[in-house]
Amino acid sequence: PWLEAVTNIWLTEPLFAMYKSRRMTITWLMVFLHTWLAMFREGASIYFVSDKEEKSDELDQRAAFILDHIPDDMVLKPRYKYTYCYIDFPGLNTFIQGVPQGPDQLRQFTATAILCDELAFWDRGRETFGASKPTIDGGGRFTGISSPKDGFFKEMCFDLIR
């Protein structure tokens, strides 16, 4: 039941931050929702961010797994091509790209959506969020999820950021 509630909040809020536990499958849900966005929003630029590039690619691999398991007879099954840290949706001018944390990773790009996984454990979480703020201001969405830990992410979850 919490997956439906979380989805409904995510659909309406451009800034979404949530503590998670492994049993909640929140990472899978967020990868699914961002993949859905890529499938149905032409021209979308979606970024999966983790503390290391390899972990960002693991999120891309989850998206590819989801896409691989869409039934072939589905009318709107998208065409896509996965390469390391990148999923291209030909014909839609849409992509999902995995990048590591840091304020300079997304600075020059306009993002439709940014998904940050395990944000509480990053060395440069605050800086990454700060550099991502124009995405929200420009009509995009920012999603931060993480296991609990004191610090910047906790401040974000409880609206304590100044």
Side-chain angles (χ1 to χ4, degrees):
W2 66 86
L3 296 176
E4 182 178 359
V6 169
T7 299
N8 288 331
I9 295 168
W10 183 85
L11 287 168
T12 59
E13 297 297 329
L15 174 56
F16 181 89
M18 179 182 171
Y19 279 138
K20 64 176 186 158
S21 71
R22 290 179 190 213
R23 294 176 191 244
M24 292 178 71
T25 64
I26 294 300
T27 300
W28 276 102
L29 175 64
M30 290 303 151
V31 168
F32 172 82
L33 291 172
H34 285 80
T35 303
W36 167 82
L37 191 61
M39 289 171 53
F40 293 106
R41 180 155 180 201
E42 187 173 359
S45 304
I46 298 168
Y47 294 91
F48 289 165
V49 188
S50 195
D51 62 337
K52 295 181 169 84
E53 185 179 73
E54 297 81 18
K55 290 182 181 178
S56 298
D57 184 59
E58 289 175 15
L59 298 173
D60 282 354
Q61 289 176 29
R62 289 182 190 212
F65 177 86
I66 290 166
L67 291 163
D68 284 344
H69 287 83
I70 295 173
D72 289 333
D73 61 350
M74 183 175 148
V75 175
L76 297 175
K77 182 171 182 170
R79 291 181 302 119
Y80 76 95
K81 181 180 179 189
Y82 163 80
T83 55
Y84 181 78
C85 280
Y86 197 80
I87 300 174
D88 182 40
F89 294 83
L92 288 176
N93 193 29
T94 294
F95 65 85
I96 299 172
Q97 184 170 351
V99 297
Q101 69 170 318
D104 298 325
Q105 302 300 331
L106 300 174
R107 192 176 305 279
Q108 70 187 28
F109 302 108
T110 302
T112 304
I114 299 169
L115 168 60
C116 297
D117 190 37
E118 292 298 351
L119 183 56
F121 296 90
W122 296 4
D123 297 331
R124 306 190 71 193
R126 184 179 300 275
E127 295 90 345
T128 302
F129 175 72
S132 302
K133 187 82 167 68
T135 292
I136 302 162
D137 296 341
R141 63 176 54 250
F142 180 93
T143 302
I145 56 176
S146 186
S147 305
K149 181 181 177 191
D150 283 339
F152 166 72
F153 186 69
K154 181 177 180 180
E155 293 172 11
M156 180 187 289
C157 287
F158 292 99
D159 287 333
L160 302 174
I161 297 174
R162 310 241 184 280

